[in-house]
Structure formats: C-alpha cells, structure tokens
Amino acid sequence: MIIRSSLSARALSITALVAVFALLPQASAQETLEARSDVNLMALAKPCVDSSRNKSREEVCGHVNKERTGRKVGGIRLDSQLSRVAQAFAEDMHRRGYFSHESPSGSTMSSRLKNAGVEYGWAGENIARGQDDSQEVVEDWMNSSGHRRNILNSKFNKLGVGRAGSIWVQIFTD
C-alpha cells in the first residue's frame, strides 16, 4: 500500500526546489549516475543502527538496503519513530489475532502515522506473517510485486520495522 499525504507547506517547498533545479543545466547521464552513487554510499554509512539495538530491525534494514543498492536505488535509513509505529501495529495484530493493513477498529497506516505525529509526503507499508527471520521475510516481500515496489521505491528514504511473534511490519516514508 502506498499513499501520498495532502499537500503541505513542506511539499510546496520541495516543489519550489524542484522547479529551481529544473532551470539548471542538465548533467550528462554518466555524471548524474556517478553523483547519485556517491550520495548512496554516504547515505549507507550507518543507516541501519536501531536506537534500541533491535537486531531484527537492523537486519531487515540491511537486507532492504542490499536489495535497493543492487538496483541503483538510494539507500534507506532506519527511523525510530517509524519503528515505534510499526512495532505497535505488529503487536496489535499479534495480540488481537488479525492480519490486515486495516485494524478491526479501522486504523490505517495513514491514521497510525498521523496519530504518532509523523510528517510525510509519501508512505508505504508491507506486512508479512509466518517468516522465521529477517532474511526470509525480505525474500518473501521481494517475491511479491506490490511489496517489492515499496522496498525499491526511490521516494522512500526512511524505514520503520516491527515484529511480534511471526508478524512483520515495514513502514516507509520520504
């Protein structure tokens, strides 16, 4: 599931910035690729360190970055606020025995992010059930076109990961 939040002042600023860049001379495709590769390497310096030292989160982030960089998509970094939202959702599904992007009480990814005070332009969510470890869950997500689309979406640069029992949640934002 991918959503775009309503246009905000931040989005308007980004739009204005993009418009300014559109006026600059275009670099060659090779120069653009080289510059992008340098940025990707810088972004990957320590992107997957979880403040609570949660090994599963760090491993999922590492596997996601391996998939993204192998396809020339920018790296993603683990975000503690997104991980808290993902963890709470995974625990809710596990405790209440459901498996859906929408909770029985009607909460959705966008409402959960809003309630947590997360600001974003774009967001996506992957959920999975039954995998034993981080490598298996990322492999399963990569074998599903919709989940793979979220993992490889270049708009996303932040990742939150939650796990409760055999339920996994990923939340992506820009």
Side-chain angles (χ1 to χ4, degrees):
M1 171 193 328
I2 299 176
I3 64 164
R4 187 172 192 318
S5 72
S6 60
L7 196 59
S8 64
R10 183 172 154 243
L12 290 173
S13 297
I14 292 169
T15 303
L17 186 59
V18 170
V20 169
F21 281 124
L23 299 174
L24 298 175
Q26 294 292 317
S28 72
Q30 183 61 36
E31 290 170 332
T32 302
L33 181 58
E34 288 171 4
R36 186 174 177 174
S37 296
D38 291 343
V39 170
N40 289 346
L41 292 175
M42 301 266 305
L44 290 174
K46 290 199 179 208
C48 296
V49 175
D50 181 58
S51 59
S52 65
R53 301 303 298 169
N54 182 297
K55 185 178 176 186
S56 292
R57 284 184 191 141
E58 291 177 346
E59 288 176 352
V60 167
C61 180
H63 293 305
V64 165
N65 272 334
K66 184 176 178 184
E67 295 291 345
R68 288 170 64 99
T69 57
R71 291 168 175 80
K72 305 279 190 238
V73 178
I76 201 161
R77 69 177 173 81
L78 204 50
D79 182 270
S80 59
Q81 187 178 21
L82 293 179
S83 288
R84 283 190 296 275
V85 175
Q87 185 64 39
F89 185 45
E91 289 172 2
D92 187 57
M93 282 193 284
H94 182 71
R95 184 180 65 256
R96 295 170 65 187
Y98 70 95
F99 182 72
S100 174
H101 288 283
E102 185 173 329
S103 77
S105 58
S107 77
T108 62
M109 177 190 61
S110 58
S111 66
R112 290 186 290 274
L113 290 173
K114 182 179 179 181
N115 290 341
V118 175
E119 294 183 16
Y120 63 92
W122 291 90
E125 179 178 78
N126 287 344
I127 61 175
R129 177 174 54 189
Q131 295 78 7
D132 292 325
D133 60 45
S134 59
Q135 183 172 351
E136 182 181 7
V137 74
V138 173
E139 285 175 2
D140 286 354
W141 279 325
M142 288 302 293
N143 288 327
S144 162
S145 62
H147 296 105
R148 181 175 54 250
R149 194 170 22 255
N150 278 342
I151 289 171
L152 300 179
N153 189 327
S154 62
K155 288 181 175 78
F156 299 144
N157 58 32
K158 296 178 193 169
L159 170 66
V161 178
R163 179 184 184 188
S166 65
I167 294 178
W168 299 79
V169 176
Q170 284 183 314
I171 299 175
F172 302 88
T173 65
D174 54 355

Coordinates of all heavy atoms in Angstrom, one line a residue, residues 37-123:
S37 N 25.6 7.7 -7.1 CA 26.3 6.6 -6.5 C 27.0 7.1 -5.2 O 27.0 6.5 -4.2 CB 27.3 5.9 -7.4 OG 26.5 5.3 -8.5
D38 N 27.7 8.3 -5.3 CA 28.4 8.9 -4.2 C 27.4 9.2 -3.1 O 27.7 8.9 -1.9 CB 29.1 10.1 -4.6 CG 30.3 9.9 -5.5 OD1 30.7 8.7 -5.6 OD2 30.7 10.8 -6.2
V39 N 26.3 9.7 -3.4 CA 25.3 10.0 -2.4 C 24.8 8.8 -1.7 O 24.7 8.7 -0.5 CB 24.1 10.8 -3.0 CG1 23.0 10.9 -2.0 CG2 24.6 12.2 -3.4
N40 N 24.6 7.7 -2.5 CA 24.1 6.4 -1.9 C 25.1 5.9 -1.0 O 24.7 5.4 0.1 CB 23.9 5.4 -3.0 CG 22.6 5.7 -3.9 OD1 21.8 6.6 -3.5 ND2 22.5 5.1 -5.0
L41 N 26.4 5.9 -1.3 CA 27.4 5.4 -0.4 C 27.4 6.2 0.9 O 27.6 5.6 2.0 CB 28.8 5.4 -1.1 CG 28.9 4.4 -2.2 CD1 30.2 4.6 -2.9 CD2 28.7 3.0 -1.8
M42 N 27.3 7.5 0.8 CA 27.3 8.3 2.0 C 26.1 8.0 2.9 O 26.2 7.9 4.1 CB 27.3 9.8 1.6 CG 28.5 10.3 0.8 SD 29.8 10.9 1.7 CE 29.1 12.2 2.6
A43 N 24.9 7.8 2.2 CA 23.7 7.6 3.0 C 23.8 6.2 3.7 O 23.1 6.0 4.7 CB 22.5 7.6 2.1
L44 N 24.6 5.3 3.2 CA 24.6 4.0 3.7 C 25.7 3.8 4.8 O 25.9 2.7 5.3 CB 24.9 3.0 2.6 CG 23.8 2.8 1.6 CD1 24.2 1.8 0.5 CD2 22.6 2.2 2.3
A45 N 26.3 4.9 5.2 CA 27.4 4.8 6.2 C 26.9 4.0 7.5 O 27.6 3.0 7.8 CB 27.9 6.2 6.6
K46 N 25.9 4.4 8.1 CA 25.3 3.7 9.3 C 23.8 3.8 9.3 O 23.2 4.3 10.3 CB 25.9 4.2 10.6 CG 27.4 3.9 10.7 CD 27.8 4.0 12.2 CE 29.3 3.6 12.2 NZ 29.6 3.0 13.5
P47 N 23.2 3.4 8.2 CA 21.7 3.7 8.1 C 20.9 2.7 8.9 O 19.7 3.0 9.2 CB 21.4 3.5 6.6 CG 22.4 2.5 6.2 CD 23.7 2.8 7.0
C48 N 21.4 1.6 9.3 CA 20.6 0.6 9.9 C 20.9 0.3 11.4 O 20.8 -0.8 11.9 CB 20.8 -0.7 9.1 SG 20.1 -0.6 7.5
V49 N 21.3 1.4 12.1 CA 21.5 1.3 13.5 C 20.2 1.6 14.2 O 19.7 2.7 14.1 CB 22.7 2.1 14.0 CG1 22.8 2.1 15.5 CG2 24.0 1.7 13.4
D50 N 19.7 0.7 15.0 CA 18.4 1.0 15.8 C 18.8 1.5 17.2 O 19.7 0.9 17.8 CB 17.6 -0.3 15.9 CG 16.3 -0.2 16.6 OD1 15.5 0.7 16.2 OD2 16.1 -0.8 17.6
S51 N 18.1 2.5 17.6 CA 18.4 3.1 18.9 C 18.2 2.2 20.0 O 18.9 2.3 21.1 CB 17.6 4.4 19.1 OG 16.2 4.1 19.0
S52 N 17.3 1.2 19.9 CA 17.1 0.2 20.9 C 17.9 -1.1 20.7 O 17.8 -2.0 21.4 CB 15.6 -0.1 21.0 OG 15.2 -0.8 19.8
R53 N 18.8 -1.0 19.6 CA 19.6 -2.1 19.3 C 18.8 -3.4 19.0 O 19.2 -4.5 19.3 CB 20.7 -2.4 20.4 CG 21.6 -1.3 20.6 CD 22.4 -0.7 19.5 NE 23.2 -1.7 18.9 CZ 23.9 -1.6 17.7 NH1 23.7 -0.6 17.0 NH2 24.6 -2.6 17.3
N54 N 17.7 -3.2 18.3 CA 16.8 -4.4 17.9 C 17.4 -5.0 16.7 O 17.5 -4.5 15.6 CB 15.4 -3.9 17.7 CG 14.5 -5.0 17.3 OD1 14.7 -5.6 16.3 ND2 13.4 -5.1 18.1
K55 N 17.9 -6.3 16.9 CA 18.7 -7.0 15.9 C 17.8 -7.2 14.6 O 18.2 -7.1 13.5 CB 19.2 -8.3 16.4 CG 20.1 -9.0 15.4 CD 20.6 -10.3 16.1 CE 21.4 -11.1 15.0 NZ 21.9 -12.4 15.5
S56 N 16.5 -7.6 14.8 CA 15.6 -7.9 13.7 C 15.5 -6.7 12.8 O 15.5 -6.7 11.6 CB 14.3 -8.4 14.2 OG 14.4 -9.7 14.7
R57 N 15.3 -5.5 13.5 CA 15.1 -4.3 12.7 C 16.3 -4.0 11.9 O 16.3 -3.6 10.7 CB 14.8 -3.1 13.7 CG 13.5 -3.0 14.2 CD 13.2 -1.8 15.0 NE 12.0 -1.9 15.7 CZ 11.8 -1.6 17.0 NH1 12.7 -1.0 17.7 NH2 10.6 -1.8 17.5
E58 N 17.5 -4.0 12.5 CA 18.7 -3.7 11.9 C 19.0 -4.7 10.7 O 19.4 -4.3 9.6 CB 19.9 -3.8 12.9 CG 19.8 -2.7 13.9 CD 20.9 -2.7 14.9 OE1 21.6 -3.7 15.0 OE2 21.1 -1.7 15.6
E59 N 18.6 -6.0 10.9 CA 18.8 -6.9 9.8 C 17.9 -6.7 8.6 O 18.3 -6.8 7.5 CB 18.7 -8.4 10.3 CG 19.8 -8.8 11.2 CD 19.6 -10.2 11.8 OE1 18.5 -10.8 11.7 OE2 20.5 -10.7 12.4
V60 N 16.6 -6.4 8.9 CA 15.7 -6.1 7.8 C 16.1 -4.9 7.1 O 16.2 -4.9 5.8 CB 14.2 -5.9 8.4 CG1 13.3 -5.3 7.3 CG2 13.6 -7.2 8.9
C61 N 16.6 -3.9 7.8 CA 17.1 -2.7 7.1 C 18.3 -3.0 6.2 O 18.4 -2.6 5.1 CB 17.4 -1.6 8.1 SG 18.1 -0.1 7.5
G62 N 19.2 -3.8 6.7 CA 20.4 -4.2 6.0 C 20.0 -5.0 4.7 O 20.5 -4.7 3.6
H63 N 19.1 -5.9 4.8 CA 18.6 -6.7 3.6 C 17.9 -5.8 2.6 O 18.1 -5.9 1.4 CB 17.7 -7.8 4.0 CG 18.3 -8.9 4.8 ND1 19.5 -9.6 4.4 CD2 18.0 -9.4 6.1 CE1 19.8 -10.5 5.3 NE2 18.9 -10.4 6.3
V64 N 17.1 -4.8 3.1 CA 16.4 -3.9 2.2 C 17.5 -3.0 1.5 O 17.4 -2.8 0.3 CB 15.4 -3.0 3.0 CG1 15.0 -1.8 2.2 CG2 14.2 -3.8 3.4
N65 N 18.5 -2.5 2.2 CA 19.5 -1.7 1.5 C 20.3 -2.5 0.5 O 20.7 -2.0 -0.5 CB 20.4 -1.0 2.6 CG 19.9 0.3 3.0 OD1 19.1 0.9 2.3 ND2 20.2 0.7 4.2
K66 N 20.5 -3.8 0.8 CA 21.2 -4.6 -0.2 C 20.4 -4.7 -1.4 O 20.9 -4.6 -2.5 CB 21.5 -6.0 0.4 CG 22.3 -6.9 -0.4 CD 22.6 -8.2 0.2 CE 23.3 -9.1 -0.7 NZ 23.5 -10.5 -0.1
E67 N 19.1 -4.9 -1.3 CA 18.2 -5.0 -2.5 C 18.2 -3.7 -3.2 O 18.2 -3.7 -4.5 CB 16.8 -5.4 -2.1 CG 16.7 -6.8 -1.5 CD 16.9 -7.9 -2.5 OE1 16.9 -7.7 -3.7 OE2 17.1 -9.1 -2.0
R68 N 18.1 -2.6 -2.5 CA 18.0 -1.3 -3.1 C 19.3 -0.9 -3.8 O 19.3 -0.4 -5.0 CB 17.6 -0.2 -2.1 CG 16.2 -0.3 -1.6 CD 15.9 0.5 -0.4 NE 16.0 2.0 -0.7 CZ 15.0 2.8 -1.0 NH1 13.7 2.3 -1.0 NH2 15.2 4.0 -1.2
T69 N 20.4 -1.0 -3.2 CA 21.7 -0.6 -3.8 C 22.1 -1.5 -5.0 O 22.7 -1.1 -5.9 CB 22.8 -0.5 -2.8 OG1 23.0 -1.8 -2.1 CG2 22.5 0.5 -1.7
G70 N 21.7 -2.8 -4.9 CA 21.9 -3.7 -6.0 C 21.2 -3.3 -7.3 O 21.5 -3.7 -8.4
R71 N 20.2 -2.5 -7.1 CA 19.3 -2.0 -8.2 C 19.5 -0.5 -8.5 O 18.6 0.1 -9.1 CB 17.9 -2.4 -8.0 CG 17.7 -3.9 -8.1 CD 16.3 -4.2 -7.5 NE 16.0 -5.6 -7.7 CZ 16.4 -6.6 -6.9 NH1 17.2 -6.3 -5.9 NH2 16.0 -7.8 -7.1
K72 N 20.6 0.1 -7.9 CA 20.9 1.5 -8.1 C 19.8 2.4 -7.5 O 19.5 3.5 -8.1 CB 21.1 1.9 -9.6 CG 22.2 1.0 -10.2 CD 23.6 1.6 -9.9 CE 24.6 0.9 -10.7 NZ 25.6 0.2 -9.9
V73 N 19.1 2.0 -6.5 CA 18.1 2.8 -5.8 C 18.8 3.3 -4.5 O 19.5 2.6 -3.9 CB 16.8 2.0 -5.4 CG1 15.9 2.8 -4.7 CG2 16.2 1.4 -6.7
G74 N 18.6 4.5 -4.1 CA 19.2 5.1 -3.0 C 19.0 4.3 -1.7 O 18.0 3.6 -1.6
G75 N 19.9 4.4 -0.8 CA 19.8 3.7 0.5 C 18.7 4.2 1.3 O 18.1 5.3 1.1
I76 N 18.3 3.5 2.3 CA 17.2 3.9 3.2 C 17.8 3.8 4.6 O 18.7 3.0 4.9 CB 16.0 2.9 3.0 CG1 14.7 3.5 3.6 CG2 16.3 1.5 3.6 CD1 13.5 2.9 3.0
R77 N 17.3 4.6 5.6 CA 17.8 4.5 6.9 C 16.7 4.2 7.9 O 15.5 4.5 7.7 CB 18.4 5.8 7.3 CG 17.5 7.0 7.5 CD 18.3 8.2 8.0 NE 17.4 9.4 8.0 CZ 16.5 9.7 8.9 NH1 16.4 8.9 10.0 NH2 15.8 10.8 8.9
L78 N 17.0 3.5 8.9 CA 16.1 3.1 10.0 C 15.7 4.3 10.8 O 16.5 5.1 11.1 CB 16.8 2.1 10.9 CG 15.9 1.1 11.7 CD1 14.9 0.4 10.8 CD2 16.8 0.1 12.4
D79 N 14.4 4.5 11.0 CA 13.8 5.6 11.7 C 13.1 5.1 13.0 O 12.2 4.3 12.9 CB 12.9 6.4 10.8 CG 12.3 7.6 11.4 OD1 11.3 7.5 12.1 OD2 12.9 8.7 11.3
S80 N 13.5 5.6 14.1 CA 13.0 5.1 15.4 C 11.5 5.4 15.6 O 10.8 4.6 16.1 CB 13.8 5.6 16.6 OG 13.8 7.0 16.6
Q81 N 11.1 6.6 15.1 CA 9.7 6.9 15.2 C 8.8 6.0 14.3 O 7.8 5.5 14.8 CB 9.4 8.4 14.8 CG 8.0 8.9 15.0 CD 7.9 10.4 14.7 OE1 8.6 10.9 13.9 NE2 6.9 11.0 15.2
L82 N 9.2 5.7 13.1 CA 8.5 4.8 12.2 C 8.5 3.4 12.8 O 7.5 2.7 12.7 CB 9.1 4.8 10.8 CG 8.9 6.1 10.0 CD1 9.6 5.9 8.7 CD2 7.5 6.4 9.9
S83 N 9.7 3.0 13.4 CA 9.8 1.7 14.0 C 8.8 1.5 15.2 O 8.2 0.5 15.4 CB 11.2 1.4 14.5 OG 12.0 1.1 13.3
R84 N 8.6 2.6 16.0 CA 7.6 2.5 17.1 C 6.2 2.3 16.5 O 5.4 1.5 17.1 CB 7.7 3.8 17.9 CG 8.9 3.8 18.9 CD 8.8 5.0 19.9 NE 8.8 6.3 19.3 CZ 9.9 6.9 19.0 NH1 11.1 6.4 19.3 NH2 9.9 8.1 18.5
V85 N 5.9 3.0 15.5 CA 4.5 2.8 14.8 C 4.4 1.4 14.3 O 3.4 0.7 14.5 CB 4.3 3.9 13.7 CG1 3.0 3.6 13.0 CG2 4.3 5.3 14.3
A86 N 5.4 0.9 13.6 CA 5.4 -0.4 13.0 C 5.3 -1.5 14.1 O 4.6 -2.5 14.0 CB 6.6 -0.7 12.2
Q87 N 6.1 -1.3 15.2 CA 6.1 -2.3 16.3 C 4.7 -2.3 17.0 O 4.2 -3.4 17.3 CB 7.2 -1.9 17.3 CG 7.3 -2.9 18.4 CD 7.8 -4.3 17.9 OE1 8.6 -4.4 17.0 NE2 7.2 -5.4 18.5
A88 N 4.1 -1.2 17.2 CA 2.8 -1.1 17.9 C 1.8 -1.8 17.0 O 0.9 -2.6 17.5 CB 2.4 0.3 18.1
F89 N 1.8 -1.7 15.7 CA 0.9 -2.3 14.8 C 1.1 -3.8 14.7 O 0.2 -4.6 14.8 CB 1.0 -1.7 13.4 CG 0.0 -2.2 12.4 CD1 -1.4 -2.3 12.7 CD2 0.4 -2.6 11.1 CE1 -2.3 -2.8 11.8 CE2 -0.6 -3.0 10.2 CZ -1.9 -3.2 10.6
A90 N 2.4 -4.3 14.7 CA 2.7 -5.7 14.7 C 2.1 -6.3 16.0 O 1.5 -7.4 16.0 CB 4.2 -5.9 14.6
E91 N 2.4 -5.7 17.1 CA 1.9 -6.2 18.4 C 0.4 -6.2 18.5 O -0.2 -7.2 19.0 CB 2.4 -5.3 19.6 CG 3.9 -5.5 19.8 CD 4.5 -4.6 20.8 OE1 3.8 -3.7 21.4 OE2 5.8 -4.6 21.0
D92 N -0.3 -5.2 17.9 CA -1.8 -5.2 17.9 C -2.3 -6.4 17.1 O -3.2 -7.1 17.5 CB -2.3 -3.9 17.3 CG -3.8 -3.7 17.4 OD1 -4.3 -3.8 18.6 OD2 -4.4 -3.5 16.4
M93 N -1.7 -6.6 15.9 CA -2.2 -7.7 15.0 C -2.0 -9.0 15.8 O -2.8 -9.9 15.8 CB -1.5 -7.7 13.7 CG -2.0 -6.7 12.7 SD -1.4 -7.0 11.0 CE 0.3 -6.3 11.2
H94 N -0.8 -9.2 16.4 CA -0.5 -10.4 17.1 C -1.4 -10.6 18.3 O -1.9 -11.7 18.4 CB 1.0 -10.3 17.6 CG 1.5 -11.6 18.2 ND1 1.7 -12.8 17.6 CD2 1.8 -11.8 19.5 CE1 2.1 -13.7 18.5 NE2 2.2 -13.1 19.7
R95 N -1.6 -9.6 19.1 CA -2.4 -9.7 20.3 C -3.9 -10.0 19.9 O -4.5 -10.8 20.6 CB -2.3 -8.5 21.1 CG -3.0 -8.5 22.5 CD -2.8 -7.2 23.3 NE -3.4 -6.0 22.6 CZ -2.8 -5.1 21.9 NH1 -1.5 -5.1 21.9 NH2 -3.4 -4.1 21.4
R96 N -4.4 -9.3 18.9 CA -5.8 -9.4 18.6 C -6.1 -10.5 17.5 O -7.3 -10.7 17.2 CB -6.3 -8.0 18.2 CG -6.3 -7.0 19.3 CD -6.5 -5.6 18.9 NE -7.9 -5.4 18.4 CZ -8.3 -4.3 17.9 NH1 -7.5 -3.3 17.7 NH2 -9.6 -4.2 17.5
G97 N -5.1 -11.1 17.0 CA -5.3 -12.2 16.1 C -5.8 -11.8 14.7 O -6.6 -12.6 14.1
Y98 N -5.4 -10.7 14.1 CA -5.8 -10.4 12.8 C -4.6 -10.1 11.9 O -3.5 -10.0 12.5 CB -6.8 -9.2 12.8 CG -6.1 -7.8 13.1 CD1 -5.7 -7.0 12.1 CD2 -6.0 -7.4 14.4 CE1 -5.1 -5.8 12.4 CE2 -5.4 -6.2 14.8 CZ -5.0 -5.4 13.8 OH -4.4 -4.2 14.1
F99 N -4.8 -10.1 10.6 CA -3.7 -9.8 9.7 C -4.2 -9.0 8.5 O -4.8 -9.5 7.6 CB -3.0 -11.1 9.2 CG -1.9 -10.9 8.3 CD1 -0.7 -10.5 8.8 CD2 -2.0 -11.2 7.0 CE1 0.4 -10.3 8.0 CE2 -0.9 -11.0 6.1 CZ 0.3 -10.5 6.6
S100 N -4.1 -7.7 8.6 CA -4.6 -6.8 7.6 C -4.0 -5.4 7.7 O -3.5 -5.1 8.8 CB -6.1 -6.6 7.8 OG -6.7 -5.7 7.0
H101 N -4.0 -4.7 6.6 CA -3.4 -3.3 6.7 C -4.4 -2.4 7.5 O -3.9 -1.3 8.0 CB -3.3 -2.7 5.3 CG -2.1 -3.3 4.6 ND1 -0.8 -3.0 4.8 CD2 -2.1 -4.3 3.6 CE1 0.0 -3.7 4.0 NE2 -0.7 -4.5 3.3
E102 N -5.6 -2.8 7.7 CA -6.6 -2.0 8.5 C -6.9 -2.8 9.7 O -7.3 -4.0 9.6 CB -7.8 -1.7 7.7 CG -8.8 -0.8 8.4 CD -10.0 -0.4 7.5 OE1 -9.8 -0.3 6.3 OE2 -11.1 -0.2 8.1
S103 N -6.9 -2.2 10.9 CA -7.2 -2.9 12.1 C -8.7 -3.1 12.2 O -9.5 -2.4 11.6 CB -6.7 -2.1 13.3 OG -7.5 -1.0 13.6
P104 N -9.1 -4.0 13.1 CA -10.6 -4.2 13.3 C -11.3 -2.9 13.8 O -12.5 -2.7 13.5 CB -10.7 -5.2 14.4 CG -9.4 -6.0 14.2 CD -8.4 -5.0 13.8
S105 N -10.5 -2.0 14.4 CA -11.1 -0.7 14.9 C -11.1 0.4 13.8 O -11.5 1.5 14.0 CB -10.4 -0.2 16.2 OG -9.0 -0.1 15.9
G106 N -10.5 0.0 12.6 CA -10.5 0.9 11.5 C -9.2 1.8 11.3 O -9.2 2.6 10.4
S107 N -8.2 1.6 12.1 CA -7.0 2.4 11.9 C -6.3 1.9 10.7 O -6.3 0.7 10.4 CB -6.1 2.3 13.2 OG -5.4 1.1 13.2
T108 N -5.7 2.8 10.0 CA -5.0 2.5 8.8 C -3.5 3.1 8.9 O -3.3 3.8 9.9 CB -5.6 3.3 7.5 OG1 -5.5 4.7 7.8 CG2 -7.0 2.8 7.3
M109 N -2.7 2.7 8.0 CA -1.3 3.2 8.1 C -1.3 4.8 8.2 O -0.6 5.3 9.1 CB -0.5 2.8 6.9 CG 0.9 3.4 6.9 SD 1.8 3.2 5.4 CE 0.8 4.1 4.2
S110 N -2.1 5.4 7.4 CA -2.1 6.9 7.5 C -2.6 7.4 8.8 O -2.0 8.4 9.4 CB -2.8 7.5 6.3 OG -4.2 7.1 6.3
S111 N -3.6 6.8 9.4 CA -4.1 7.3 10.7 C -3.1 7.0 11.8 O -2.9 7.8 12.7 CB -5.5 6.7 11.0 OG -5.4 5.3 11.2
R112 N -2.4 5.8 11.7 CA -1.4 5.5 12.7 C -0.2 6.5 12.6 O 0.3 6.9 13.7 CB -0.9 4.0 12.5 CG -2.0 3.0 12.9 CD -1.4 1.6 12.8 NE -1.2 1.1 11.5 CZ -2.1 0.5 10.7 NH1 -3.3 0.4 11.1 NH2 -1.7 0.1 9.5
L113 N 0.2 6.8 11.4 CA 1.3 7.8 11.3 C 0.9 9.2 11.8 O 1.6 9.8 12.5 CB 1.7 7.9 9.8 CG 2.5 6.6 9.3 CD1 2.7 6.7 7.8 CD2 3.8 6.4 10.0
K114 N -0.3 9.6 11.4 CA -0.8 10.9 11.9 C -0.9 10.9 13.4 O -0.5 11.9 14.0 CB -2.2 11.1 11.3 CG -2.8 12.5 11.7 CD -4.1 12.7 11.0 CE -4.7 14.1 11.5 NZ -6.0 14.3 10.9
N115 N -1.4 9.9 14.0 CA -1.6 9.8 15.5 C -0.2 9.9 16.2 O -0.1 10.3 17.3 CB -2.3 8.6 15.9 CG -3.8 8.7 15.6 OD1 -4.3 9.8 15.3 ND2 -4.5 7.5 15.5
A116 N 0.8 9.4 15.5 CA 2.2 9.4 16.0 C 2.9 10.7 15.7 O 4.1 10.9 16.2 CB 3.0 8.2 15.5
G117 N 2.3 11.6 15.0 CA 2.9 12.8 14.7 C 3.9 12.8 13.6 O 4.8 13.7 13.4
V118 N 3.9 11.7 12.7 CA 4.8 11.6 11.6 C 4.4 12.4 10.5 O 3.3 12.3 10.0 CB 4.9 10.1 11.2 CG1 5.8 9.9 10.0 CG2 5.4 9.2 12.3
E119 N 5.3 13.3 10.0 CA 5.0 14.1 8.8 C 5.7 13.4 7.6 O 6.8 12.9 7.7 CB 5.6 15.5 9.0 CG 4.9 16.3 10.0 CD 5.4 17.7 10.1 OE1 6.1 18.1 9.2 OE2 5.2 18.3 11.2
Y120 N 5.0 13.3 6.5 CA 5.5 12.7 5.3 C 4.8 13.2 4.1 O 3.7 13.7 4.2 CB 5.3 11.1 5.4 CG 3.9 10.7 5.5 CD1 3.2 10.4 4.4 CD2 3.2 10.6 6.7 CE1 1.8 10.0 4.4 CE2 1.9 10.3 6.8 CZ 1.2 9.9 5.7 OH -0.1 9.6 5.8
G121 N 5.4 13.0 2.9 CA 4.7 13.2 1.6 C 4.2 11.9 1.1 O 3.1 11.8 0.6
W122 N 5.1 10.9 1.1 CA 4.7 9.6 0.6 C 5.0 8.6 1.7 O 5.9 8.7 2.5 CB 5.6 9.2 -0.6 CG 5.3 10.0 -1.8 CD1 5.9 11.2 -2.2 CD2 4.3 9.7 -2.8 NE1 5.3 11.7 -3.3 CE2 4.4 10.8 -3.8 CE3 3.4 8.7 -3.0 CZ2 3.6 10.8 -4.9 CZ3 2.7 8.7 -4.2 CH2 2.7 9.8 -5.1
A123 N 4.1 7.5 1.7 CA 4.3 6.4 2.7 C 3.8 5.1 2.1 O 3.0 5.1 1.3 CB 3.5 6.7 4.0

